[in-house]
Amino acid sequence: MHLLLNPELWTLTISIAVPLIYAALGGMFSERGGVVNIAMEGMMLTSAFVSVAFAAMTHNAWIGLGMGVLSGAAMALLFSWAALVLKADQVVVGMAVNLLALGLTGYLLDAFYGYNGTPISTPSLPTWHLAFLSGIPVIGPALSQENVLTYLLIPVLLAAQYALFRTPWGLRLRSMGEKPQAGRSAGLKVRRYQLSGVLLSGVLSGIAGAYLSIGVLNGFTVDMTAGRGYIALAAMILGNWRPSGVVWAGLMFGFLSALSIQLQGSVIPPDIVLMVPYLLTVVAVAGIVGRTTPPAADGIPYQEESL
Amino acid sequence: MNVAQLEVSNITKRFGSLVANDRISLSVSGGEVLAILGENGAGKSTLMKVVSGFLRPDAGEIRVNGTLLPSGNPEAAIRAGIGMIHQHFMLIPRMTVMENLILGFEPRTRWGQIDYGRARSTVRQLADRFGMPIDPDKPVERLTVGEQQRVEILKAFYRGAEILILDEPTALLTPQESEHLFESIREFSRQGLAVIFISHKLDEVLAISQRVLVIRSGRVVDTVPTSSTDAPTLARLMVGRDVNLGMGRRGNGTASIGEPILTLDQLEIARTREHQGLGPLSLELRAGEIMGIAGVDGNGQQELAETVAGLLPHTRGSLRFAGESLDNLGVRDRLARGLAYVPADRQGEGLVLDFKIWENFILRDYYRPPYRRGAGMDVRLARQQAEAAVKAFDIRPQNIELPARALSGGNQQKLLLAREMSRKPRVMVVAQPTRGLDVGAIEYVHQQLMALADGGTAILLISLELDELMKLSDRIAVLFRGKIQGVRTREQFNREEIGLLMTGQTRPEVVNQ
Amino acid sequence: GCGSTSSSTGASSTSGSKAAQYKVGLVTDTGGLNDHGFNHLAYEGLLQAKNQLGVTVSVVQSQTESDYVPFLTNYAKQGYNLVIAVGFLMAQAVQQVSHEFPHTHFMIIDDEVNGPNVTSSLFETQQCGYLVGELAGLIQKDHALPNINNDNTLGVVGGMSIPPVNTYIAGFYAGVHAVDPSAKILLKYTNDFNNPNNGQVFAQSEIAQHADIIFQVAGGSGLGVITAAQQAHVYAIGVDADQNYLAPNTVITSAEKGVNVATFDTIKEGLDGTLKAGPQYFSLANNGVGMAPPISAIPRSIVNQVLQSEKEIISGKIVPPTNIPNS
Amino acid sequence: MKISWQWLKPLLTVVLGLVISGLIGQVTGYPALQVMSALWQGSVGNFYNLANTLVIFIPLVLTGLGIALAFRAGLFNIGAQGQYWMGAIAAAWIGALPGHWPWGTHLLATLLASILAGGLYGLIPGVLKAYRGAHEVITTMMLSYAAIEFGHYLIEKGPLMLPGPVPQSPPLQTDATLPILVPTTELSAGLWLALAAVVLAAWLFYRTRLGFEVTLLGKNAKAARLAGVSVARLTIISLAVGGMFAGLAGGIQIMGVTHQLFDSFADQYGYTAIVVALLARNNPWGVVPAAFLFAALQSGAGYMQMNANIPAQMAYVIQGVIVFMVAADRIFDWVLANKKAKTRPPAVGVGKEAL
Ligand SMILES: Nc1ncnc2c1ncn2[C@@H]1O[C@H](COP(=O)(O)OP(=O)(O)OP(=O)(O)O)[C@@H](O)[C@H]1O
Ligand SMILES: Nc1ncnc2c1ncn2[C@@H]1O[C@H](COP(=O)(O)OP(=O)(O)OP(=O)(O)O)[C@@H](O)[C@H]1O
Ligand SMILES: [Mg+2]
Ligand SMILES: [Mg+2]
């Protein structure tokens, strides 16, 4: 109980959850459009590197963020070309993008910076202090001082919810994920909407990557995403492909991880404690969430001329 | 009145080496209903997909009111006023009626979001104008097939269609729903719309259209005014030979009918989210008998079939097969006792489209003799048997190594029947065996079913086609809301009365008591 | 192919050609060369040897754990004279490969491998751990820096619970407790050496539990520890190298491990033919480990007291333990 | 002509992938030919390097087969890494048991233990999927992370800890280790087991009723029900048997390569094997070249670094490009189709909206 009231637990929860939520939201857009996307890991990693490189070069973290997001989108574009134009297997292409990102970022890290790593003078994105929030009990301190990208998440979430369920674009995107033939029969260009979903996932994964490298840190190390893209995939599924669900799933995972970190150092062996978030996630999905339903046409390449 | 005019000239469409449409021309104008007839695979759907912009023709042109349409562009077709109701509905089950209707043509508020208020009122107006009431906020997956079709038609109107194309619209409808649809179509005509109507059902074509265009193997065979033709003529034009349209079940009535073999006793299934409730319901099926199950779609037919097949456990009552209780037996035990099942959804359930023909052929028997061999299967035997069946049932193409996907719907149905009938079943449950098939294929399927019954198999025939039931059945039981509304024997068959029973118009009665 | 650069200092021209024929291969562990830590230091030692002694060098970074054996073997097969394995995690591989190539000399850093052709460089990091621990303990006790709270709590973030990490930590515990036995030390392991974001949240967790000086022994993950300390305006202690440059007002000192020195020395001895098999200990006494210069904000008196302890460790009066006490 | 194109295409994609990678090297200052020859040398250039490639090949093949099995049933098992760990843990435990074992029994018991452990660990997500509908992507992934932590625990503080400061398990008894095939390498008789497993898997997938059912489930679950297949049972079996293959991979790694469990035992085989299975299109015979390709790229990467100074990350770039090319192998059809389209007379009334 005492543990749960510790504001820092919630600070940790948030800092672990934020990149997961961004990436999972991105995945959600892509899959809502019917494109299975497991390339979040690679898009995050690419952006993590590119944002550091540009932030270091221009001494401006915002430019870093912008370029990072662009690089995420560029990876998404590459993914789309194979998945949507060449109708390649989406899972395989996703894996390819992840491998490619792992290789390219490491390769370029060596090429640009040698063995000294990214410059320590790299600026990072600002942390904002919103004093008026600190009055809230327990979670106030966690909310009142956060990276700007954490605050950005709130409008992004609202926008995601709004765009997906209130705008024509959202309706159309969802129709492509459920039954692209129906969208096509309404005269819509299937590929264009699917592309927009995948690109959004690139942008959002890009933000997630930048959060890791120039948001909370100011440097890049090889494979620094360390599987967060895959956990984001799990969060997206757990969240049942909805923005609100994704937020809860991300927060749950963040909370469990934070809890396991807080619990370390007690009598329980640390490795056992580290198992906690994973096992509890399994319990949650098996016991509480149960069956989740993906968009009906998720992962099926859309063939023109087939109805 | 501004009368729309569609002019299609010299359309050619090839799929690889196959010429699906070969220089087809037609025209239709406002206030007219043009019917298109043709065998399965004749190229009707292809032509309409070309007209509505889904497929790009290899040659030919399409004009609406004299203006050339860009080819392969559905959006342009919609804007020109062409509304297509596809053979397979283009609806998204998990979305609401309204979302389906407005997709691609969403009314927007000043802020760019969807204006649901305006959309709702537009939908209401349209529904009123064409007399097609519908709840705009219901998810499509909860609608009956007839209602879904209504949504499809409203969708076309919502997009401003003036030329309406209906591809086999009645294939899934009950007689009442079909009648309703015809009234609507007549109303559209009156309002000046041009209608193209595709069907395999000659009586429908005769009832609704002014002209009939007959296609065979991608070519126009003839265009005839409806008033100057009749069913046998049309059938001959379509198939290229005489077709026996009328012949029914053997005249000798119930002479060859034997012992009771399948008994349903106060059978009940609780209603769930996915299932209509069923029963309590009692039925007795005898060897050599064809028992027809009539009813409006969604009144428990599917549940009845699945319960007998062993896919759906019943909650109460009992099910006996030749005296033995089936209550605790699974699918395989029932198969082993000689029960066969031809599901209505042949592509989604009956067949595995990616499996080869021979693999599909052994789908229900691979695990037991004679196919069982050690941990594996006797693949050679399986191929032999499949080869024989493909020949016997004239499944084309006769290459058992092809995936079932490469077969046309009619041939897929034949494969399914071939599989179940080769098992020499004692009881066979058949659901919608001729849905979407052309007259030639229907004739064939009917012959097979009658021959099977003559051989002593009891058949539970579930169909939405009253004519089919009346032609084949020895008795017809009418399902209404999961209960049997009445049972009629061959001598008592009466179209109107059965139609009334289907809508629940008489007191429920319990059979066999 | 590299390493034919002539040495500018040290070796004479005759020994230069002999040196050029002396081939040294360095295999990193999966932490890689840009870990700001001991892989990097080993590489610096290697470069120094190349520049000053003129030996031919090659380096390979292991991508996965299964690379160790093939990489070591490959150098041995190609006739390299000395093959250096950086890191405890490669002990098994060195054990195996050294046995198969008796004519190649191997050097392993951070673990002891027995064999007539293996030199093991072992660092008495409990000694430098003790010094930084004592320094931290004194700062804590005297509130010698701004932002030190009253909870008397320090933190340690380890990479994994393995000896090269734990000896540092054992020394740190002893050093802190020598000043104030009641001081509380939080210890957490990230189970990961190259995940700075993870290191950061672990450090944040300790800061949440009121730790205000955090010792990181977590390789690449430790970079995140330093960032976390910096953001929370508390203090960090670096490891392996002097990491003050990473965050000048945050990293108050570092527990240094002279991997570069050990690497250079071993290569030099190998070249001279004086290299002996068996363990070689690096300690405060031979400058193999040490405490980096503390930041100037720390009162001189405290630093002097720690320097005094250094002398006593060298003289054997204080013997820091190598095992973390069971709490 | 058609057959040869089928064989040619994968080959062409790999070649094209290598060419693109070579160009990436070229423009960043590493001559393409040098990159490729180093890669070739390092992976198959001599007997010793080939043996090293085969060492990596073994776990990739086995795990790839397990993943392919689950894929065939339409289940996305991305937690093979955990099943691999569990197999390794079991092997480290049983293989280190002292005592007198009659000839061969210890080896057999250790192998069986690893298979069983991997199988049981695959069973859990299977059961959760079958009876609770828990998405296997989540459960297998999470259980995989948990297994790795569990392994750490066992050797650091748990019952498999070898007394001493170093977290590791006691070494295997020699009668539980696999013989080494090529001296000075880690290539063990596990290779024969892996190849036998390929044959076994091919038989299982294509010749048995179980394989038929698994494919049936993967292609059409409704039709499977109609054939009397219990979807729940088959889901469990597919994941469990898939886990057995991964478990065996972990066991062989312990018995043939490391001979004890320690921290650096782990590798990313379980993840790489996903790509292997996908690349092989879940065909057991296809798993062999796919696994070999990835093994070769990994073992060649070190050689590139050592002898040509090419950053090791280049190997991942090459892997990524090749996987990309194989996935997008329609690029050839695309190029051909575009050429055809140009020579074909344009259809009448072609709109501007070319799709
Ligand atoms: N996407 C396609 N690819 C290849 N061939 C096709 C495709 N679609 C249709 N065909 C071919 O074109 C022919 C005409 O098919 P179409 O669907 O137009 O027939 P139809 O007249 O509508 O038949 P039905 O009465 O069964 O609906 C079919 O026999 C089929 O062989
Ligand atoms: N992807 C495909 N590859 C090869 N042939 C195809 C493909 N798709 C369709 N066909 C061809 O199309 C035909 C099936 O088309 P379709 O499903 O429209 O049947 P249909 O003509 O409408 O028949 P039915 O009325 O019996 O359903 C088959 O004859 C098959 O050869
Ligand atoms: Mg059709
Ligand atoms: Mg059809």
Side-chain angles (χ1 to χ4, degrees), chain B residues 39-46 49 87-88 167-168 198 200 436:
Chain B
E39 282 185 285
N40 289 134
K44 308 179 294 290
S45 298
T46 302
K49 286 175 197 167
Q87 188 171 354
H88 307 286
D167 193 355
E168 294 191 37
I198 298 176
H200 291 297

PDB file of all heavy atoms in Angstrom, chain B residues 39-46 49 87-88 167-168 198 200 436, ligand 3:
ATOM      1  N   GLU B  39     -25.196 -18.929 -67.493  1.00  0.00           N
ATOM      2  CA  GLU B  39     -24.741 -20.003 -66.625  1.00  0.00           C
ATOM      3  C   GLU B  39     -23.715 -19.482 -65.628  1.00  0.00           C
ATOM      4  O   GLU B  39     -23.203 -18.376 -65.770  1.00  0.00           O
ATOM      5  CB  GLU B  39     -24.028 -21.068 -67.474  1.00  0.00           C
ATOM      6  CG  GLU B  39     -24.919 -21.992 -68.227  1.00  0.00           C
ATOM      7  CD  GLU B  39     -24.055 -23.044 -68.905  1.00  0.00           C
ATOM      8  OE1 GLU B  39     -23.412 -22.710 -69.923  1.00  0.00           O
ATOM      9  OE2 GLU B  39     -24.015 -24.177 -68.419  1.00  0.00           O
ATOM     10  N   ASN B  40     -23.406 -20.333 -64.699  1.00  0.00           N
ATOM     11  CA  ASN B  40     -22.292 -19.999 -63.802  1.00  0.00           C
ATOM     12  C   ASN B  40     -21.036 -19.806 -64.627  1.00  0.00           C
ATOM     13  O   ASN B  40     -20.713 -20.624 -65.482  1.00  0.00           O
ATOM     14  CB  ASN B  40     -22.022 -21.134 -62.813  1.00  0.00           C
ATOM     15  CG  ASN B  40     -23.114 -21.250 -61.772  1.00  0.00           C
ATOM     16  OD1 ASN B  40     -23.592 -22.325 -61.487  1.00  0.00           O
ATOM     17  ND2 ASN B  40     -23.506 -20.121 -61.217  1.00  0.00           N
ATOM     18  N   GLY B  41     -20.390 -18.719 -64.377  1.00  0.00           N
ATOM     19  CA  GLY B  41     -19.138 -18.485 -65.080  1.00  0.00           C
ATOM     20  C   GLY B  41     -19.322 -17.926 -66.475  1.00  0.00           C
ATOM     21  O   GLY B  41     -18.366 -17.830 -67.233  1.00  0.00           O
ATOM     22  N   ALA B  42     -20.521 -17.525 -66.801  1.00  0.00           N
ATOM     23  CA  ALA B  42     -20.746 -16.996 -68.139  1.00  0.00           C
ATOM     24  C   ALA B  42     -20.107 -15.624 -68.313  1.00  0.00           C
ATOM     25  O   ALA B  42     -19.800 -15.202 -69.422  1.00  0.00           O
ATOM     26  CB  ALA B  42     -22.243 -16.909 -68.421  1.00  0.00           C
ATOM     27  N   GLY B  43     -19.915 -14.937 -67.234  1.00  0.00           N
ATOM     28  CA  GLY B  43     -19.259 -13.629 -67.324  1.00  0.00           C
ATOM     29  C   GLY B  43     -20.137 -12.477 -66.904  1.00  0.00           C
ATOM     30  O   GLY B  43     -19.800 -11.314 -67.136  1.00  0.00           O
ATOM     31  N   LYS B  44     -21.239 -12.775 -66.256  1.00  0.00           N
ATOM     32  CA  LYS B  44     -22.172 -11.715 -65.853  1.00  0.00           C
ATOM     33  C   LYS B  44     -21.546 -10.794 -64.808  1.00  0.00           C
ATOM     34  O   LYS B  44     -21.531  -9.565 -64.974  1.00  0.00           O
ATOM     35  CB  LYS B  44     -23.447 -12.344 -65.260  1.00  0.00           C
ATOM     36  CG  LYS B  44     -24.090 -13.396 -66.167  1.00  0.00           C
ATOM     37  CD  LYS B  44     -25.314 -14.001 -65.531  1.00  0.00           C
ATOM     38  CE  LYS B  44     -25.021 -14.821 -64.281  1.00  0.00           C
ATOM     39  NZ  LYS B  44     -24.319 -16.079 -64.524  1.00  0.00           N
ATOM     40  N   SER B  45     -21.056 -11.411 -63.746  1.00  0.00           N
ATOM     41  CA  SER B  45     -20.489 -10.582 -62.677  1.00  0.00           C
ATOM     42  C   SER B  45     -19.300  -9.788 -63.194  1.00  0.00           C
ATOM     43  O   SER B  45     -19.113  -8.617 -62.851  1.00  0.00           O
ATOM     44  CB  SER B  45     -20.049 -11.453 -61.508  1.00  0.00           C
ATOM     45  OG  SER B  45     -21.155 -12.129 -60.977  1.00  0.00           O
ATOM     46  N   THR B  46     -18.510 -10.437 -64.026  1.00  0.00           N
ATOM     47  CA  THR B  46     -17.342  -9.749 -64.572  1.00  0.00           C
ATOM     48  C   THR B  46     -17.766  -8.500 -65.335  1.00  0.00           C
ATOM     49  O   THR B  46     -17.213  -7.417 -65.145  1.00  0.00           O
ATOM     50  CB  THR B  46     -16.567 -10.697 -65.513  1.00  0.00           C
ATOM     51  OG1 THR B  46     -16.199 -11.858 -64.766  1.00  0.00           O
ATOM     52  CG2 THR B  46     -15.338 -10.026 -66.067  1.00  0.00           C
ATOM     53  N   LYS B  49     -18.782  -5.848 -62.982  1.00  0.00           N
ATOM     54  CA  LYS B  49     -17.634  -5.266 -62.284  1.00  0.00           C
ATOM     55  C   LYS B  49     -16.905  -4.283 -63.201  1.00  0.00           C
ATOM     56  O   LYS B  49     -16.362  -3.282 -62.744  1.00  0.00           O
ATOM     57  CB  LYS B  49     -16.686  -6.367 -61.816  1.00  0.00           C
ATOM     58  CG  LYS B  49     -17.229  -7.139 -60.605  1.00  0.00           C
ATOM     59  CD  LYS B  49     -16.313  -8.302 -60.260  1.00  0.00           C
ATOM     60  CE  LYS B  49     -17.022  -9.308 -59.356  1.00  0.00           C
ATOM     61  NZ  LYS B  49     -16.251 -10.565 -59.268  1.00  0.00           N
ATOM     62  N   GLN B  87     -22.908  -9.388 -55.798  1.00  0.00           N
ATOM     63  CA  GLN B  87     -23.370 -10.726 -55.482  1.00  0.00           C
ATOM     64  C   GLN B  87     -22.988 -11.070 -54.034  1.00  0.00           C
ATOM     65  O   GLN B  87     -23.772 -11.613 -53.287  1.00  0.00           O
ATOM     66  CB  GLN B  87     -22.707 -11.699 -56.460  1.00  0.00           C
ATOM     67  CG  GLN B  87     -23.220 -13.096 -56.394  1.00  0.00           C
ATOM     68  CD  GLN B  87     -22.659 -13.915 -57.540  1.00  0.00           C
ATOM     69  OE1 GLN B  87     -21.977 -13.408 -58.442  1.00  0.00           O
ATOM     70  NE2 GLN B  87     -22.939 -15.196 -57.525  1.00  0.00           N
ATOM     71  N   HIS B  88     -21.767 -10.740 -53.679  1.00  0.00           N
ATOM     72  CA  HIS B  88     -21.334 -10.880 -52.286  1.00  0.00           C
ATOM     73  C   HIS B  88     -21.329  -9.476 -51.705  1.00  0.00           C
ATOM     74  O   HIS B  88     -20.634  -8.601 -52.204  1.00  0.00           O
ATOM     75  CB  HIS B  88     -19.952 -11.515 -52.215  1.00  0.00           C
ATOM     76  CG  HIS B  88     -19.870 -12.797 -52.981  1.00  0.00           C
ATOM     77  ND1 HIS B  88     -20.440 -13.955 -52.522  1.00  0.00           N
ATOM     78  CD2 HIS B  88     -19.335 -13.083 -54.185  1.00  0.00           C
ATOM     79  CE1 HIS B  88     -20.244 -14.907 -53.412  1.00  0.00           C
ATOM     80  NE2 HIS B  88     -19.583 -14.408 -54.441  1.00  0.00           N
ATOM     81  N   ASP B 167     -26.688  -7.846 -58.677  1.00  0.00           N
ATOM     82  CA  ASP B 167     -26.088  -9.117 -59.087  1.00  0.00           C
ATOM     83  C   ASP B 167     -26.622 -10.226 -58.188  1.00  0.00           C
ATOM     84  O   ASP B 167     -26.287 -10.285 -57.010  1.00  0.00           O
ATOM     85  CB  ASP B 167     -24.557  -9.015 -58.998  1.00  0.00           C
ATOM     86  CG  ASP B 167     -23.879 -10.175 -59.708  1.00  0.00           C
ATOM     87  OD1 ASP B 167     -24.592 -11.082 -60.166  1.00  0.00           O
ATOM     88  OD2 ASP B 167     -22.636 -10.176 -59.784  1.00  0.00           O
ATOM     89  N   GLU B 168     -27.444 -11.074 -58.729  1.00  0.00           N
ATOM     90  CA  GLU B 168     -28.065 -12.179 -57.990  1.00  0.00           C
ATOM     91  C   GLU B 168     -28.617 -11.726 -56.644  1.00  0.00           C
ATOM     92  O   GLU B 168     -28.259 -12.258 -55.600  1.00  0.00           O
ATOM     93  CB  GLU B 168     -27.070 -13.327 -57.791  1.00  0.00           C
ATOM     94  CG  GLU B 168     -26.691 -13.983 -59.101  1.00  0.00           C
ATOM     95  CD  GLU B 168     -25.912 -15.279 -58.906  1.00  0.00           C
ATOM     96  OE1 GLU B 168     -26.238 -15.999 -57.954  1.00  0.00           O
ATOM     97  OE2 GLU B 168     -25.016 -15.538 -59.701  1.00  0.00           O
ATOM     98  N   ILE B 198     -29.572  -9.312 -62.366  1.00  0.00           N
ATOM     99  CA  ILE B 198     -28.923 -10.581 -62.736  1.00  0.00           C
ATOM    100  C   ILE B 198     -29.495 -11.688 -61.876  1.00  0.00           C
ATOM    101  O   ILE B 198     -29.620 -11.530 -60.658  1.00  0.00           O
ATOM    102  CB  ILE B 198     -27.407 -10.498 -62.543  1.00  0.00           C
ATOM    103  CG1 ILE B 198     -26.834  -9.416 -63.452  1.00  0.00           C
ATOM    104  CG2 ILE B 198     -26.741 -11.837 -62.820  1.00  0.00           C
ATOM    105  CD1 ILE B 198     -25.365  -9.186 -63.261  1.00  0.00           C
ATOM    106  N   HIS B 200     -30.359 -16.250 -61.695  1.00  0.00           N
ATOM    107  CA  HIS B 200     -30.447 -17.566 -62.316  1.00  0.00           C
ATOM    108  C   HIS B 200     -31.888 -18.046 -62.355  1.00  0.00           C
ATOM    109  O   HIS B 200     -32.183 -19.083 -62.912  1.00  0.00           O
ATOM    110  CB  HIS B 200     -29.626 -18.581 -61.524  1.00  0.00           C
ATOM    111  CG  HIS B 200     -28.165 -18.350 -61.626  1.00  0.00           C
ATOM    112  ND1 HIS B 200     -27.489 -18.430 -62.810  1.00  0.00           N
ATOM    113  CD2 HIS B 200     -27.245 -18.029 -60.699  1.00  0.00           C
ATOM    114  CE1 HIS B 200     -26.214 -18.181 -62.601  1.00  0.00           C
ATOM    115  NE2 HIS B 200     -26.039 -17.916 -61.329  1.00  0.00           N
ATOM    116  N   GLY B 436     -26.915 -20.016 -55.502  1.00  0.00           N
ATOM    117  CA  GLY B 436     -25.995 -19.393 -56.459  1.00  0.00           C
ATOM    118  C   GLY B 436     -25.670 -20.248 -57.667  1.00  0.00           C
ATOM    119  O   GLY B 436     -24.831 -19.878 -58.471  1.00  0.00           O
TER     120      GLY B 436
HETATM  121 MG    MG E   3     -21.594 -13.872 -60.751  1.00  0.00          MG
END
